[in-house]
């Protein structure tokens, strides 16, 4: 009987923690995320990741011929931290966080660019 | 039974979290963006506002659109029964407060610009037909006939009677000032409805309210006069700004390789040729920006900068044919040139 109680207790705490964290994230102010990292492979968009200040992610992308890249999203920027390109150019590019910047890793046919909420611009409106 | 006790505890905790989450959500006041696009004043119009109250936001957008249509109905010379059309037909008449205010302000800028900005330019505008499907290069005789009618000094206003009297055969065209006035009025509507963040874009006449939802300033692009729409040569940032641009790329026609743009010089009777391809005015109110952007365009860099510098709270950007950019001295942090095919002249 006691063992069953313990298990139920752990499940109960698990549910509570799960519940608490999902409702917390649900309340994140989405309007703060104004930039999105667009990851394309062979010209096709494979991932769109918001670059909000709270985002902290690491992604491994594997392509044809077992080429790979490890990408991190941190502090509102995106960077390639590891890859199998010959001179690590993509890693040397460092972190990007503006809409006109691009990181490319050719062996893996990967490009990472940044889009503003509106599309491609740093501006919200145009006066003409 | 112990199972029942645990279930009860789990349920109570879940409930308390939900209640907590709900109240946290309300306290954070979920701010959303509300937009509206429509056509009026002969151009495309966009409203974009941030609000935590959906009902109020939609009322603001609706009233804003109504206001635009109302103003167009009173001022447009493309509408036969508008007040201005009737005034033009009869040579004199009573007008609403709004038209009185706009005509009065237009005359003020006419005097300030020594007649370079003149709402009695209507016959010349009609003659050229730029922006319509029948533009033409008028003969010298036709131009002279039209020029004779252009004289802001013969427009008389009786404020207490709200009456406007035009000189013989004169007609008014508020096209160079109406959009600016309209943006001020729409701003009033939004503020009245509690909107503290947003922008109004009346065919390129931009008005910003407050800052964006995250507290950062609105970024307003300045159209690159030699590139496609939405390509900008620089960015203006600030709070509660009106940004109005006049350029030779907005309305024009081409004949034998020559471009005839819609902003006319009332002294020559031809499209203005002061070496400027666009002017941008940054000010608090749209009515001033609109009148001054046309004026500055006609005056050119030297005279234009002199005029703008003499006015409080107004900044200007001039772009010349040879891709040089001139600005007024106080512009500093408000404007950043981002396209290096243009040269900023200090």
């Amino acid at each position: 009987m006691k063992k069953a109680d313990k298990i139920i207790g752990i499940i109960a705490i698990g549910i509570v923690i799960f519940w608490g964290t999902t409702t917390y994230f649900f309340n994140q102010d989405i309007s703060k995320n104004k930039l999105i990292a667009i990851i394309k492979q062979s010209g096709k968009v494979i991932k769109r990741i918001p670059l909000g200040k709270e985002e902290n992610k690491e992604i491994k992308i594997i392509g044809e011929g077992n080429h790979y890249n490890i990408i991190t999203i941190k502090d509102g920027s995106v960077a390639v931290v590891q890859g199998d390109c010959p001179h690590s150019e993509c890693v040397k590019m460092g972190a990007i966080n503006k809409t006109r910047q691009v990181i490319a890793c050719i062996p893996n046919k990967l490009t990472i660019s940044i889009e503003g909420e509106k599309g491609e611009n740093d501006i919200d409106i145009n006066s003409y | 039974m112990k199972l029942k006790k645990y279930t009860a505890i789990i349920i109570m905790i879940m409930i308390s979290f939900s209640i907590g989450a709900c109240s946290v959500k309300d306290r954070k006041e979920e701010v959303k963006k509300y937009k509206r696009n429509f056509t009026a004043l002969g151009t495309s119009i966009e409203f974009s506002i941030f609000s935590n109250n959906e009902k109020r936001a939609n009322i603001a957008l609706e009233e804003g659109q109504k206001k635009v249509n109302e103003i167009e109905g009173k001022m447009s010379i493309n509408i036969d029964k508008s007040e201005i059309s009737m005034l033009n037909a009869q040579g004199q008449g009573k007008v609403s407060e709004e038209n009185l205010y706009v005509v009065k302000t237009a005359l003020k800028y006419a005097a300030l610009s020594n007649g370079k900005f003149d709402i009695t330019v209507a016959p010349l505008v009609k003659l050229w037909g730029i922006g319509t499907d029948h533009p033409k290069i008028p003969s010298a005789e036709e131009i002279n006939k039209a020029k004779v009618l252009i004289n802001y000094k013969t427009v008389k206003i009786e404020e207490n009677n709200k009456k406007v009297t035009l000189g013989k055969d004169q007609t008014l065209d508020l096209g160079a000032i109406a959009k600016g006035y309209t943006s001020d009025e729409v701003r009033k509507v939004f503020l009245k409805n509690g909107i503290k963040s947003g922008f109004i874009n009346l065919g390129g006449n931009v008005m910003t309210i407050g800052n964006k939802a995250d507290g950062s300033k609105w970024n307003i692009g300045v159209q690159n006069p030699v590139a496609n729409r939405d390509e900008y040569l620089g960015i203006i940032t600030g709070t509660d700004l009106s940004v109005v641009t006049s350029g030779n790329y907005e309305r024009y026609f081409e004949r034998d390789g020559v471009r005839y743009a819609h902003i006319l010089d009332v002294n020559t009777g031809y499209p203005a040729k002061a070496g400027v391809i666009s002017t941008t005015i940054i000010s608090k109110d749209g009515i001033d920006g609109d009148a001054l952007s046309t004026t500055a365009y006609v005056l050119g860099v030297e005279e234009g900068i002199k005029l703008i510098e003499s006015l409080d709270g107004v900044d200007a950007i001039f772009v010349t044919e040879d891709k040089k950019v001139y600005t007024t001295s106080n512009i500093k942090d408000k404007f950043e040139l981002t396209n290096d095919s243009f040269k900023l002249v200090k």
Side-chain angles (χ1 to χ4, degrees):
Chain A
M1 223 32 207
K2 274 200 173 165
K3 208 173 182 184
D5 284 347
K6 264 200 192 148
I7 294 170
I8 291 173
I10 292 169
I11 295 174
I13 292 171
I15 292 173
V16 163
I17 292 173
F18 174 76
W19 196 261
T21 45
T22 47
T23 45
Y24 172 70
F25 278 112
F26 198 68
N27 286 328
Q28 287 295 304
D29 188 0
I30 307 167
S31 63
K32 283 199 164 111
N33 292 345
K34 48 177 182 161
L35 294 177
I36 306 171
I38 315 277
I39 303 177
K40 287 187 183 171
Q41 193 162 38
S42 302
K44 273 170 113 180
V45 177
I46 54 169
K47 279 201 192 295
R48 300 176 71 100
I49 306 167
L51 293 179
K53 297 283 174 184
E54 305 84 15
E55 297 283 344
N56 210 313
K57 274 189 172 80
E58 193 176 273
I59 306 171
K60 184 168 185 182
I61 302 194
I62 301 176
E64 284 172 26
N66 272 325
H67 291 298
Y68 77 98
N69 288 107
I70 299 182
I71 300 166
T72 56
I73 314 269
K74 209 170 67 161
D75 296 329
S77 309
V78 57
V80 175
V81 292
Q82 227 184 97
D84 62 344
C85 37
H87 306 287
S88 299
E89 282 103 350
C90 44
V91 177
K92 285 190 194 144
M93 289 209 71
I96 60 170
N97 61 3
K98 290 198 171 66
T99 56
R100 265 170 280 133
Q101 296 169 303
V102 175
I103 301 174
C105 183
I106 299 171
N108 205 5
K109 301 200 176 118
L110 210 67
T111 55
I112 306 172
S113 58
I114 298 185
E115 229 176 62
E117 195 187 15
K118 242 202 119 186
E120 315 80 33
N121 306 326
D122 288 325
I123 60 170
D124 303 299
I125 331 137
N126 196 31
S127 165
Y128 58 89
Chain B
M1 261 191 65
K2 283 210 166 138
L3 189 60
K4 269 199 189 156
K5 202 161 100 178
Y6 275 116
T7 322
I9 293 174
I10 293 171
I11 293 176
M12 281 196 297
I13 293 175
M14 280 165 77
I15 291 174
S16 57
F17 255 101
S18 305
I19 295 172
C22 279
S23 54
V24 166
K25 206 172 174 183
D26 288 331
R27 253 182 276 126
K28 263 193 168 186
E29 290 178 330
E30 206 185 340
V31 169
K32 285 209 215 126
K33 191 199 280 198
Y34 297 90
K35 283 167 72 145
R36 182 168 289 211
N37 289 293
F38 61 100
T39 316
L41 302 171
T43 191
S44 62
I45 296 180
E46 183 185 356
F47 296 161
S48 189
I49 55 180
F50 282 108
S51 178
N52 58 8
N53 186 325
E54 181 165 349
K55 196 164 170 220
R56 265 203 304 195
N58 286 321
I59 292 174
L61 294 174
E62 185 62 37
E63 286 191 5
Q65 179 166 1
K66 274 212 186 100
K67 188 40 111 167
V68 175
N69 293 329
E70 188 193 305
I71 293 172
E72 181 165 29
K74 281 188 195 163
M75 291 188 191
S76 172
I77 52 175
N78 295 320
I79 295 175
D80 285 337
K81 299 288 185 187
S82 73
E83 277 181 22
I84 298 297
S85 291
M86 305 284 267
L87 173 65
N88 285 342
Q90 286 150 11
Q92 44 95 39
K94 280 200 165 177
V95 296
S96 57
E97 286 273 10
E98 292 197 290
N99 267 319
L100 193 72
Y101 169 68
V102 174
V103 172
K104 198 170 142 200
T105 309
L107 294 177
K108 172 183 107 178
Y109 280 108
L112 196 66
S113 65
N114 282 322
K116 286 297 196 188
F117 178 84
D118 194 329
I119 49 174
T120 62
V121 71
L124 193 64
V125 170
K126 201 161 165 203
L127 193 57
W128 281 90
I130 301 176
T132 68
D133 54 11
H134 48 269
K136 74 168 195 193
I137 303 176
S139 68
E141 195 192 329
E142 286 175 310
I143 290 180
N144 286 330
K145 259 174 136 178
K147 267 168 67 175
V148 166
L149 300 172
I150 304 174
N151 184 2
Y152 72 94
K153 291 180 183 161
T154 53
V155 177
K156 301 294 174 205
I157 296 185
E158 284 168 61
E159 291 227 40
N160 35 359
N161 291 334
K162 291 211 189 62
K163 190 167 171 216
V164 178
T165 308
L166 308 175
K168 188 169 180 327
D169 295 331
Q170 276 193 322
T171 48
L172 299 185
D173 183 340
L174 300 184
I177 195 170
K179 278 205 295 230
Y181 169 72
T182 305
S183 64
D184 295 334
E185 290 300 295
V186 174
R187 174 180 58 188
K188 263 195 210 149
V189 167
F190 286 173
L191 292 175
K192 193 184 87 182
N193 282 287
I195 304 300
K196 297 198 172 64
S197 161
F199 69 79
I200 300 159
N201 189 348
L202 303 178
N205 280 37
V206 174
M207 168 77 69
T208 64
I209 297 171
N211 293 324
K212 293 193 273 197
D214 62 2
S216 62
K217 300 196 169 129
W218 290 102
N219 293 315
I220 305 160
V222 176
Q223 176 67 38
N224 179 337
V226 299
N228 295 324
R229 171 76 58 85
D230 279 350
E231 288 191 46
Y232 54 94
L233 55 66
I235 304 177
I236 293 171
T237 38
T239 309
D240 295 317
L241 295 181
S242 155
V243 177
V244 181
T245 299
S246 287
N248 73 341
Y249 51 83
E250 297 168 60
R251 287 179 204 227
Y252 63 89
F253 74 100
E254 278 175 343
R255 198 138 297 165
D256 300 325
V258 178
R259 178 179 294 195
Y260 297 88
H262 77 293
I263 299 175
L264 305 173
D265 184 329
V266 300
N267 295 124
T268 64
Y270 270 75
K273 267 217 189 83
V276 169
I277 54 175
S278 89
T279 51
T280 299
I281 303 288
I282 307 169
S283 61
K284 179 168 163 286
D285 293 333
I287 195 172
D288 304 314
D290 214 359
L292 288 170
S293 72
T294 302
T295 307
Y297 184 97
V298 179
L299 287 176
V301 174
E302 206 181 313
E303 293 284 322
I305 292 211
K306 215 163 99 185
L307 173 65
I308 306 298
E309 296 273 25
S310 76
L311 301 170
D312 260 337
V314 184
D315 291 297
I317 302 162
F318 292 73
V319 183
T320 54
E321 286 166 331
D322 51 357
K323 292 181 95 170
K324 293 212 179 80
V325 176
Y326 300 81
T327 65
T328 46
S329 53
N330 280 330
I331 205 163
K332 289 190 180 76
D333 305 325
K334 288 199 200 97
F335 172 67
E336 186 197 342
L337 183 66
T338 56
N339 185 323
D340 53 18
S341 71
F342 290 86
K343 186 161 168 277
L344 186 66
V345 178
K346 303 254 161 123

